[in-house]
Every structure is written in structure tokens, then in C-alpha cells.
Amino acid sequence: MKIRTLVLLSAAPAWPLAVAAVEQPEFQRLTQPENYVEVGAGWVSDESARFGRYNALYRDGLFAVLGLEYLVRPRFDDPSPLHWHVSARDLGLGNRQVSLRVGQQGRFGLEAGYRERRSRGGDGLVSVYNHRDPANLRLPTDWQPAANSAGMNLQLPVLHEFSLAQRRRETRLAASANPGERWQINAQVRQEDRDGTSLLAGLFGNSGGNPRAAFLPVPVDYRTRLFDLNLAYGDRQRQLRLAYHGSLFSNNEPQLTFANPFSTIGGWATGSGFPDGRGALALAPDNQFHQLSLAGTWQLRPALHLSGQVASGRMTQNEPFLAYTANPLLAQAVVQPLPIDSLDGRIDTTTVHLRLSGRNFTRLNWNLSYRLDDRDNRTELHEWVYVGGDSQVQDTSPASSRRRYNLPQDYRHQRLRLDGQWRLDERTRLGSTIQQSRTERSFSAREQVDETLLEFNARHRAGHRVQLGAQIHWADRDGSAYDGAAAFLANHDPAYTDTLAGQWANLPALRMYHLADRRRQRQAVSANLTPHEHWALGLEAARAVDDYRNSSIGLTESRQALLSTTLTWAPSNQLSAHAFYTWERLASDQAGFSFRGGANRLIDIADPERAWAVDHRDRIDTLGAGLQRYLNDGRIKLQLDWVHARAKAKQQVAAGTSLTAAALPTVSNRLDSVMLRASYRLSEPLSLHFRYWFERFRSDDWAFDGVGPDQLANIILPGETADNYRVHVASVSLRFRFQ
Amino acid sequence: MGRLMRSRFALVALAALSLTLTALANEASVQFPDHIANCTRCHGASEDDPVLAIFATPHAVLADSRTGMADQGCAACHGPSLDHARLPARAGGAEVEIAFHGDRKASTQVRNQACLTCHAGGDMMHWQGSVHDFDGMACVDCHRVHQQQDPALDPLQQAQACTSCHQAQHAEFHRPFAHPVHQGQMLCSDCHNPHGGAGPSDLHAMTLNESCYSCHADKRGPFLWEHQPVREDCTLCHQPHGSVHRDLLAQRTPFLCQQCHMSQFHPSTALSATGLPGASIPSGSQSMLGRDCMNCHAQVHGSNHPSGVGQTR
């Protein structure tokens, strides 16, 4: 007996350690970083700008698969754990990114990163301009002008082809430090260079009178620098953060001039058309935004928190103005010069967000919050006499409609909101919200808009297998008297508006939808069911109606309906599957009234048969399924995803007998996408990855189908087409894991 | 006597073997500090209890005095759980004080407090009273602490994690025109702060337009000729998650434009299939085909040209 006791005691040192410790290989398996190098190749079957819009796979042919993850992380008990992380993704594609991080947790961190993203808007577009000088578009030397497209040769090779493609390159540097346990400093500098080509129309003449336009390849050469500096303090009761944010935008191509491909037509000044006529567009001006903010949260009592953020910012823009006209002949005729050389535009912003949040009743949670968004436009108001479309002689007569005043609009939005949530028991919760908001605007059809919102919701959990929810939302918006002519009168000279019957531009009955009286109702129900531990079913249904109850012209009503269901099945860690289906209906009704100007104006608006209406009916169905499976003791991983998305948009047009109208075709888009991913672990460090992706997209759109550059008489179009593609992508790569 | 000698010899040999095994164990195993080892004796690498991966995460960096793990070990989050340590529930004893998953998980408030003890500042500053907080969500509903890669922070998994609840947005991202979230070029968290943002809809930025300008700074202005709704709120015309209509517009143009512009001549014209291409070329309405209103009014986001009245320059 004594010996047995001695035997047990002699062995004692070994067993506690053997149990308390974990075998090194097992520990390493669980904690080693997922470092790898991936090398491979892929293939794209067809060229498609739409397919490659954001994934950079817009060209057919081969591409490289290159990636790297390398994380050096000391063990958890290292006394000075300096970590490194190098990450490189999609190096073989146009969307590539590289980042390097180094730091010591709790002490400091440094980061440098580079990211490149490409977007593709379309290939094979055409313009009448050659691109030798992208900021000054010229016509071919042998260009034959005409009064409209019928007299022009708008065929290749007279036209020049171009692609809508842009590239964003972002460089990022960031640093953080913890000078004390409660303090943290973060700084970040980002620079994004964006270049490429976009598309805009270059107009000559008046848009409503006798316009002529040609689409232009517009050079994009932007640089945006973003600066962020944060100083944060935190203890158990309070956290504070003082922050500066700066955004400096510059455009290396602030203007675009272009030759007029049309011959001078009636109503244009002499010399406005080809060969001497020129136009100019002011492209995005340089601008800046600087903002200081103070954010904090304070635990006033154990169950009472005050949090908020206050920010003061300033937007400025002072790009030198272009002349009223780029046309030399018309420029000589300008008698009233620009009032200033640049806008010196400035908007001071003040934003406040405060929230008092309480949990100090056993069953009641509540929030009281206030939000202010104030934009004080400090830009000065000036008088301008513009030159219409680089084709009109400046008209400085007292009653000129060309005499305009810029409108530095102020905006102020305030919102007060109270949320409450009452827990009847552990399974049932009732919630309600009341919110009042007020929006004030200057130079607006409605100077003040008020909205009251009420919301009720309930949730009930029946055991562990059923969760039910319901929500009712009601909001009512109205405001001060609607004066649809307010901005028009402020924008024009009274000497002109006095000549206009009624002194309004927009039909007085029009109610702009963001200012109009509106009653909004929304109901939603949801259910999450777990009939079996391997199965989960989610159901959601919602319906919303916006009733613009006092709008007889404009948007009068919009409705949304949604049904959504998801099903997941996960019998084990080795196998899972899911499926989803979403049914959406978007409907809106708008009313209009067609009328002419001049002597016909008052005659037309007295004719009820000039009314028209459009009912919009959009239907979207999205369904998909996925499967994930591990085989052969985890050596093989299979993942399959399928999505079918179908959208149809219908416009049903009705018009009075004084007008003519015909039914529009349905616009439709259909997407089918299948992606299969498989990986096979060849050995402990080496795995083989295979990916196959098929996508098909079909669309019909009457605005583009069969509409070539010469379709319209007055507009030289770029030849955009509705998107249709069928693309296969396959790639295979080897991934080598290492420590 | 001989038996006693043999027993003593066996005893010495066993002691020596024990010490040798102990020494070998020290080399072939990972030693945890006592306050952590109390837990890892039972909770290790098994399929049911895969907790050790936490030692590959920032939560277990002992040199960082801010982590509770350094002083309190697992108890920093799970509570002292002394009764559980003496006799665990599986053996008929007590549960851990703060369990985060399973049938006996602690209340949401208790679980979240374990996280908020350290994560109350920074981007989590506005958590209290935020939409997700008020909805009764727990941090661990999205985050996985005992994993090397938290899916909520993984750019390749985040959208899936968010849209598993936000089903309407999941469908919107599949609409024909959408921001490239499904393509992995944007993250939900690029715009939204799920822990409660200072802006509407929990945006990081304090206003919606500030959020849009972070990528579209060319639209910021201020412009000489402003388009008032654009200055005010981008979502008056655009649906940021996805739309049936091009450029993520809320409604098809030219009808969208006509919902606010109804003046004489062409803005008020009843547009229908009568404006579609006819049998001859040229034909069709310049307000309908191509880019419709934008065939002339190219600068709808604002113009800085002195003659840019009507957003045509």
C-alpha cells in the first residue's frame, strides 16, 4: 500500500503537464498562419465589357493567377510580438492589390498598400472625333458637315472607336500608435489616381429649341488625396475621438473643347457651325473638403449611455471659369463679361448626432436621438448672361431669358427620434418608434418640409426553432406652401419673368417627389424556422406604399412588394447547401401634362386631353442555390454556386386624345451564373485549385437596341448597345503553403 | 529484502521515467500559463472544442496588456467560472459563467458586455443604441473569436455574412446595375458601420452624400449651377445597392426626369413608343433613345461652366 502510494507520487510530475500542455504539432496546425503562394493560369472564352465591368476579365484569352499571403506572427506568449503581413491578390489581373503591414500589438502599427481597380463601361463605341489631343477634340480633316445626321457619313472608318474604361490606382499609408494604454493615434493618407475615358454629350444650340449634339470621349484624369488623423482616448466610462478628415480632389483635365460637326443651322449665330464652331464643357472642378469632428460615448450610469458626434466641415471650389463661349466669333460679341473669374464656392457643413440610450428598466430599452445636418452655402450670388450652347450671340437685353442668377441653396435637416422596446418575457418583444423631422431649404419650391413617423414591431420566439417578427411603419410628410416657381423666379430676371404668362416654368400642379406631401406605409413580416438541427428556413414578406396624396402632376404613387425565402441545410461540417428566392415588384405611377409655350401656353393647359400618365411596373426574380462539400477526409473541397436573376421593366403609357402615344416594349435583363470551385490537397503543403465560371447575360432595351450613331437626326450617338454576353472562365492553380 | 530492493529500484526507475517524460513533454508541447492551462486541460483541439485557434489571434497576445487574456486568461471573456473549473457540466457540475454559443449561452447583454469591456471605443463608439444593438444582436452573431480569420472581417466572406440577414440587399446586389459588392470590389463596411455609424443608415460618414463623395469626389462641387436634389441627397435619384435601371437610377429616364421637370415643350412631352426608331433613318425621339435627356443635359450632377445653365455645359 505504501509502495503503491509512492509509485503514484513519483509519477505525479508528469501527468498534469501532459494534460495541461498541448502537443506542439497540433497547436501549430491550429495556430499557424495560412501562408501560401499561388501560381496558375486562367482562360476567358469571350470578350465582354459587361462581364468584365468590375472583375477585369473583359478580354478573352489567358490570364495569370498569382497570389501571396505571408504572415509572420510570433507565438502568443512572445514578450515583444512583432508581426509582419504581406498580402498580394490577383496580381495577374487588372484588379490587383498588395499590402504590407508591420506592427507590435498594443504599441504601434504601420501599413502600406496599393490597389488597382478597373471598370469597363463599354467597348466599340464611336465618335466623330479623333483622339490625338483628348482635351481638344477635332474632326477628321475631310469631315463633311451637314445640318443633321442624315447628311453625314456616320460609318466606320470615318468614325473613331473607343472604349469606356477607367482605372483607379490607390496608394495607402497608415500608421497607428498607442502612447498609453488609454490613448491611440491613427493617421492615414490615401491617394487615388483615376484615369480613363467617360462619355458625355457635347451640345450646340439650345437643348429645347433646335439642339445638335455629338457624344464625346471624355478624358478622365483625377487625383483624390484623403487625409485622416484620429486621436482617441478611452477608459471604462468614456471614449473620445478627435478627428480630422481632408479630401482634396484635382482634375488634370478641367475642360474639354470640341469642334462642331454640324453646319450652321437656322437660329445659330454666323460661324457657329463647322468649320469654325467650337464648344466647350467644364469638367469636374478641383474641390476640397475639410472636416473636424469630435465623437464620444459616456456611460453616465451603468445602464445609461450618452453618445454622439459633432462635426464641422467646409467644402470649397474655386476652379477658374471657362469663358462664356469657346467660339471665337461669339466670344468677341460678349458685352457683359463674367462677374467673377472663379466661383469661390463654399459650403459650411455642421453635423450633429446625439443619442441617449437607456437600459435602466428591467424590461424596457429606449433611445432618444437627435440629428442635425446643416449645409450653409456661402457662395455669393451673381448675375450671369450665358451664351446658349456656343451658338448664340450673348443677349443682354433687359428681358433676356439668358440673364440668370446662381442659387446658393442652403439645406438644414433636423430629426428627433425616440425608440422603445418592451420585453414582455424572454421570448416576446414589442417595439415602437416615433420620429419627427424637419427639412428647410432655400430657393426651393417648399421652404419647409415636416415628417412624422411611427413604427411598431413585435418579435416572438417560440422555443429554439421558431422566431417570428412583424413591423408596421407609417409616415406622413407635409410642409409649408408649395410654390413651384420659387427657384425659377429667383434664377431669372424679373424683366423676363414679367413677360411670361403665369410667371412659372414648371406646371403649377407639379409636385417634385422629394418635396411633395407623402403618406408612407410599410408592413413586413418575417419568420426564421429551424425544423431540424440541420435545416433552417427564412421567410420575409414586405409591402410598402408611398402615396403622394396631393400630387396631380409628377410622381403620384409608388409601391414595393417583396417576398424572400432562404433555405439552408448543414448536416455536418463536411456538407452544407443553401437556396434562396426573392420576388420583388416595384410599381410607380406618374402623371404629366404636355403643353407648348408662347401663345399656345394657356390654351394648352386648358385642354384636359393633353394629360398623360405612365405606370411603371418592374418585376425582379432572383433565385440561386449553393453546395459546399468536403471529401476524402477534407483533402477535396467542392463549392458550387448558381444564380438566376431576371428583371423586367414595363412602362404603360396613356395619353389624352390631343396627344399620341403607343405602348413601349418591355425592357428585360436576364443573368445566369454558375461557379464551380474545387481544391485538392496533393500533400500537406501543396494543393491544386480549379475554378470554372459560366455567365450568360441577355438584355433588351429599346433605347439602345438597333440604335446606331445615325439613328437620331440631331444627335450623333455613340452606338451603345444593350448588353448580351456568354462567357466561360476556367482557371487552375497550385497553392503552396508554408510557415 | 530482495522484494523490497526490487520495489525501490522500480520506484526509482519510474521516477526517472516520469522526469524524462516531463522533460520531453516540455519540448514537444506548448506550455500555457497556469490561468490559461486550467482551461486548455479540457478545451483543446477537438472537433467539438476547437478553441486553440484563438492563440493565433490578437485576443491572445499576452504581451499586449490591453487584452484580458494576459491577466485573466479565458476568464476575461467567459467569467471566472470557478465552479465550472472544479467540476464541469459534462461531469454533472456547473456551466461556464459566460457561454457565447449553444443552448446555455448567456444573455445578449452579458455576452456583448464581455466584448465591450475592451471594444467600446473606435468604430464601436456608437454601438449603444445602434440598430444592431437595439435589435438584440450579439457580437458573436457575426464575429468568430476562436478562428484565425473572422468571416465578418474577411473581405471575401463579409458580403455573404451581411446578406445572410439582409435578404433584400442580397437580391438588390444581383440586379442588372449594382455596386460591385458581389464581385468583391466593395465591402458593405466600406460605407456602413455595422456597430452604429454617425450617419444615416449607420454610414461611416455623417451624411449620405459625404459617403458617396469618398469615391466620387468629382461630384462634390460646389458648382455654379447646382442641381438641387443632387446637392441634397444622391439617393433621390440613385439606388446604391442595385437597380433595374442603368446607372443605378431609381426609375428609368427620361421618366425619372419628368417627375420633377414639367415645363413647356419637350420636358412635358408625352413620351411613348411613338419616339422609337421608325422605318427610316434618322428617326426617333432624342428624348427617348440613347441617353435620352442626357443626350443634351450632360452635366446632371452640376455644371461649373458660366453657360452651363440647364446642365448642358
Side-chain angles (χ1 to χ4, degrees):
Chain A
M1 184 70 180
K2 190 178 178 182
I3 289 174
R4 282 179 188 165
T5 305
L6 285 172
V7 168
L8 284 173
L9 289 173
S10 67
W15 68 261
L17 288 172
V19 177
V22 175
E23 296 302 316
Q24 183 80 21
E26 186 63 5
F27 184 80
Q28 283 191 342
R29 184 183 70 80
L30 288 166
T31 60
Q32 72 179 16
E34 289 283 318
N35 292 338
Y36 66 83
V37 175
E38 185 171 18
V39 179
W43 167 80
V44 182
S45 68
D46 296 273
E47 190 170 300
S48 169
R50 165 86 195 190
F51 175 73
R53 256 187 323 174
Y54 301 118
N55 59 27
L57 296 171
Y58 47 82
R59 294 261 182 257
D60 58 349
L62 293 172
F63 64 92
V65 178
L66 294 171
L68 168 72
E69 284 290 325
Y70 182 46
L71 172 61
V72 178
R73 184 171 44 208
R75 226 173 68 156
F76 69 99
D77 52 358
D78 192 300
S80 55
L82 193 71
H83 61 262
W84 290 81
H85 185 199
V86 180
S87 175
R89 288 185 185 170
D90 297 328
L91 294 182
L93 293 171
N95 290 343
R96 55 181 66 92
Q97 51 183 312
V98 181
S99 68
L100 168 65
R101 295 190 186 113
V102 61
Q104 184 173 333
Q105 189 175 317
R107 301 284 298 277
F108 74 94
L110 298 169
E111 183 180 350
Y114 172 79
R115 185 174 187 191
E116 196 170 310
R117 283 181 287 182
R118 289 169 194 262
S119 61
R120 201 86 179 170
D123 286 331
L125 277 69
V126 292
S127 87
V128 293
Y129 301 99
N130 66 48
H131 308 154
R132 265 169 258 154
D133 181 359
N136 186 11
L137 297 174
R138 299 173 190 279
L139 295 162
T141 51
D142 57 349
W143 177 251
Q144 296 297 314
N148 59 49
S149 65
M152 297 176 176
N153 179 7
L154 295 178
Q155 304 292 327
L156 293 171
V158 174
L159 300 175
H160 293 264
E161 282 192 277
F162 66 100
S163 296
L164 290 182
Q166 293 184 23
R167 177 179 60 167
R168 291 174 183 250
R169 290 171 297 157
E170 183 188 88
T171 310
R172 184 179 72 255
L173 292 173
S176 65
N178 298 79
E181 193 169 319
R182 295 177 176 179
W183 292 91
Q184 187 168 37
I185 300 173
N186 292 296
Q188 181 172 248
V189 179
R190 284 178 288 162
Q191 175 172 300
E192 184 193 78
D193 291 306
R194 183 175 171 187
D195 55 42
T197 304
S198 67
L199 184 70
L200 288 176
L203 173 79
F204 292 96
N206 285 324
S207 63
N210 202 5
R212 296 291 185 274
F215 271 84
L216 317 168
V218 179
V220 174
D221 190 0
Y222 301 159
R223 170 167 288 180
T224 307
R225 291 193 177 105
L226 297 162
F227 302 90
D228 288 284
L229 181 64
N230 297 332
L231 173 64
Y233 168 85
D235 60 30
R236 286 191 179 268
Q237 261 70 46
R238 61 193 73 82
Q239 284 77 37
L240 290 170
R241 182 178 59 199
L242 181 65
Y244 163 76
H245 171 72
S247 172
L248 279 61
F249 170 81
S250 63
N251 183 359
N252 287 328
E253 301 283 0
Q255 63 173 299
L256 175 64
T257 58
F258 45 94
N260 190 341
F262 297 92
S263 51
T264 303
I265 61 172
W268 289 7
T270 306
S272 301
F274 184 86
D276 298 321
R278 302 196 62 72
L281 277 174
L283 303 179
D286 293 0
N287 66 66
Q288 296 190 8
F289 178 56
H290 302 273
Q291 186 181 57
L292 272 176
S293 67
L294 177 66
T297 179
W298 188 11
Q299 187 176 346
L300 301 169
R301 293 180 194 165
L304 188 64
H305 285 82
L306 174 66
S307 64
Q309 187 160 323
V310 180
S312 176
R314 177 169 293 180
M315 302 181 199
T316 56
Q317 187 271 109
N318 202 26
E319 181 77 31
F321 283 131
L322 303 183
Y324 273 128
T325 174
N327 193 318
L329 289 173
L330 298 177
Q332 288 174 11
V334 168
V335 294
Q336 183 165 329
L338 295 174
I340 47 177
D341 295 330
S342 58
L343 183 64
D344 197 14
R346 176 180 141 196
I347 298 177
D348 293 342
T349 64
T350 305
T351 37
V352 176
H353 174 55
L354 297 173
R355 182 163 58 211
L356 191 63
S357 176
R359 302 283 187 276
N360 45 349
F361 299 99
T362 309
R363 295 181 180 277
L364 179 66
N365 297 342
W366 57 271
N367 280 337
L368 178 64
S369 63
Y370 170 75
R371 181 187 296 280
L372 166 69
D373 174 7
D374 184 77
R375 307 174 203 175
D376 181 11
N377 197 330
R378 309 297 292 267
T379 308
E380 289 187 11
L381 188 149
H382 292 279
E383 178 184 297
W384 311 78
V385 183
Y386 77 91
V387 172
D390 284 299
S391 59
Q392 317 283 317
V393 174
Q394 189 187 45
D395 177 6
T396 57
S397 63
S400 170
S401 65
R402 303 285 192 266
R403 190 181 306 281
R404 298 293 179 97
Y405 302 89
N406 60 302
L407 303 181
Q409 289 145 339
D410 295 329
Y411 173 85
R412 184 181 176 88
H413 176 78
Q414 296 180 85
R415 192 194 78 179
L416 187 64
R417 180 182 174 107
L418 177 64
D419 302 287
Q421 193 173 76
W422 179 259
R423 279 177 292 158
L424 293 179
D425 53 40
E426 286 302 313
R427 297 182 302 170
T428 308
R429 284 187 293 176
L430 301 176
S432 66
T433 296
I434 180 166
Q435 176 181 301
Q436 183 68 41
S437 63
R438 169 165 293 180
T439 307
E440 295 158 283
R441 304 168 172 91
S442 64
F443 303 117
S444 170
R446 206 165 207 182
E447 292 188 344
Q448 182 179 309
V449 172
D450 298 313
E451 185 167 51
T452 303
L453 178 151
L454 294 172
E455 191 174 292
F456 301 95
N457 62 70
R459 286 188 191 184
H460 179 70
R461 182 162 50 83
H464 295 296
R465 303 209 179 275
V466 179
Q467 288 185 52
L468 304 170
Q471 184 190 61
I472 299 173
H473 171 113
W474 177 91
D476 190 52
R477 187 174 75 183
D478 56 17
S480 58
Y482 194 98
D483 177 6
F488 170 72
L489 294 174
N491 181 230
H492 289 76
D493 196 282
Y496 165 70
T497 56
D498 286 346
T499 67
L500 204 62
Q503 294 191 311
W504 45 260
N506 274 324
L507 205 66
L510 172 72
R511 295 291 180 270
M512 297 183 183
Y513 58 85
H514 66 296
L515 304 173
D517 290 351
R518 182 186 67 190
R519 186 162 291 150
R520 170 171 284 179
Q521 297 180 63
R522 184 177 189 275
Q523 301 90 33
V525 292
S526 63
N528 290 299
L529 311 173
T530 315
H532 182 269
E533 61 179 324
H534 298 158
W535 291 90
L537 176 66
L539 298 165
E540 184 178 336
R543 175 181 174 275
V545 178
D546 285 354
D547 177 14
Y548 297 87
R549 60 184 195 280
N550 290 323
S551 299
S552 54
I553 300 291
L555 183 61
T556 56
E557 185 172 295
S558 68
R559 301 175 295 281
Q560 292 184 36
L562 169 98
L563 282 174
S564 178
T565 179
T566 60
L567 178 67
T568 57
W569 176 59
S572 70
N573 291 336
Q574 310 298 313
L575 175 63
S576 64
H578 72 274
F580 63 90
Y581 173 62
T582 305
W583 174 95
E584 295 174 275
R585 296 291 180 274
L586 311 176
S588 59
D589 302 336
Q590 74 179 94
F593 196 95
S594 180
F595 65 104
R596 293 164 291 176
N600 293 314
R601 196 178 209 215
L602 297 179
I603 299 170
D604 282 358
I605 62 170
D607 178 5
E609 294 302 321
R610 297 189 72 85
W612 55 266
V614 182
D615 294 342
H616 303 269
R617 301 289 181 268
D618 299 346
R619 169 182 170 156
I620 310 136
D621 297 274
T622 311
L623 61 155
L627 174 74
Q628 184 167 296
R629 179 84 165 109
Y630 290 90
L631 296 168
N632 198 9
D633 200 23
R635 293 174 73 94
I636 298 174
K637 180 182 177 184
L638 296 173
Q639 195 172 344
L640 180 67
D641 289 290
W642 165 73
V643 172
H644 172 78
R646 186 173 56 210
K648 287 186 177 179
K650 290 183 182 177
Q651 293 87 36
Q652 296 167 342
V653 186
T657 53
S658 298
L659 308 172
T660 56
L664 282 164
T666 298
V667 175
S668 66
N669 297 280
R670 283 154 293 173
L671 170 78
D672 291 288
S673 178
V674 177
M675 183 178 283
L676 170 66
R677 280 171 282 201
S679 64
Y680 178 62
R681 203 169 68 231
L682 299 167
S683 63
E684 190 52 44
L686 199 63
S687 57
L688 180 68
H689 294 257
F690 172 76
R691 187 177 77 151
Y692 169 73
W693 183 11
F694 168 72
E695 200 164 286
R696 179 176 61 181
F697 185 81
R698 291 163 288 174
S699 67
D700 300 301
D701 189 328
W702 44 258
F704 300 106
D705 288 332
V707 175
D710 56 352
Q711 181 64 57
L712 293 173
N714 297 339
I715 316 286
I716 302 174
L717 292 167
E720 292 177 282
T721 56
D723 297 301
N724 286 281
Y725 66 80
R726 186 185 177 95
V727 176
H728 302 263
V729 179
S731 70
V732 62
S733 60
L734 278 172
R735 188 175 282 195
F736 179 74
R737 297 177 189 277
F738 62 97
Q739 283 187 278
Chain B
M1 185 66 179
R3 187 181 171 192
L4 184 61
M5 284 299 290
R6 282 197 299 275
S7 297
R8 284 180 178 169
F9 176 77
L11 185 63
V12 170
L14 188 57
L17 179 62
S18 173
L19 289 171
T20 305
L21 284 174
T22 303
L24 287 174
N26 285 339
E27 286 184 5
S29 62
V30 177
Q31 298 297 313
F32 294 106
D34 286 345
H35 63 294
I36 297 174
N38 285 340
C39 304
T40 56
R41 281 197 184 96
C42 298
H43 300 282
S46 71
E47 285 285 320
D48 296 332
D49 262 333
V51 302
L52 290 185
I54 197 171
F55 292 100
T57 73
H59 282 110
V61 174
L62 303 189
D64 183 358
S65 59
R66 301 171 308 168
T67 64
M69 185 73 89
D71 295 330
Q72 305 167 58
C74 308
C77 298
H78 291 282
S81 307
L82 295 176
D83 291 339
H84 173 76
R86 287 188 196 103
L87 189 62
R90 287 174 197 169
E95 291 285 348
V96 67
E97 284 180 13
I98 305 174
F100 287 84
H101 298 283
D103 294 341
R104 296 175 186 274
K105 64 189 176 192
S107 71
T108 302
Q109 191 175 351
V110 168
R111 286 182 292 161
N112 285 356
Q113 191 53 47
C115 305
L116 291 168
T117 302
C118 298
H119 296 285
D123 284 342
M124 275 67 75
M125 190 174 286
H126 300 297
W127 170 257
Q128 299 285 355
S130 66
V131 173
H132 283 160
D133 173 42
F134 215 68
D135 279 351
M137 283 187 66
C139 306
V140 294
D141 288 343
C142 299
H143 294 286
R144 293 287 177 271
V145 175
H146 286 271
Q147 280 180 216
Q148 285 199 44
Q149 184 63 61
D150 183 347
L153 303 180
D154 183 351
L156 301 177
Q157 299 184 59
Q158 190 196 72
Q160 189 180 354
C162 297
T163 56
S164 65
C165 291
H166 296 277
Q167 294 174 25
Q169 284 73 24
H170 180 254
E172 286 172 355
F173 287 134
H174 279 107
R175 289 180 180 175
F177 304 93
H179 273 117
V181 175
H182 269 317
Q183 290 85 346
Q185 299 302 315
M186 280 185 74
L187 302 177
C188 305
S189 60
D190 286 346
C191 301
H192 298 280
N193 183 348
H195 307 109
S201 302
D202 280 333
L203 292 170
H204 289 289
M206 290 193 75
T207 69
L208 182 128
N209 280 21
E210 278 178 35
S211 185
C212 301
Y213 297 150
S214 64
C215 289
H216 302 282
D218 52 307
K219 307 287 190 296
R220 181 186 289 126
F223 296 97
L224 172 61
W225 306 110
E226 298 277 14
H227 190 181
Q228 190 190 26
V230 178
R231 165 61 53 207
E232 187 173 318
D233 184 339
C234 303
T235 60
L236 289 174
C237 296
H238 295 284
Q239 291 185 320
H241 295 124
S243 171
V244 180
H245 310 290
R246 60 180 303 144
D247 296 327
L248 285 76
L249 288 168
Q251 188 54 270
R252 186 180 178 85
T253 54
F255 304 109
L256 175 66
C257 306
Q258 289 188 308
Q259 290 176 359
C260 287
H261 297 280
M262 190 61 55
S263 54
Q264 62 193 25
F265 294 121
H266 76 280
S268 68
T269 301
L271 299 169
S272 71
T274 56
L276 298 187
S280 61
I281 289 181
S283 61
S285 166
Q286 61 207 22
S287 298
M288 294 282 286
L289 302 180
R291 298 214 170 183
D292 46 74
C293 302
M294 276 74 74
N295 286 338
C296 296
H297 302 276
Q299 303 275 42
V300 289
H301 295 107
S303 171
N304 206 51
H305 192 296
S307 295
V309 174
Q311 273 73 41
T312 58
R313 275 283 177 272

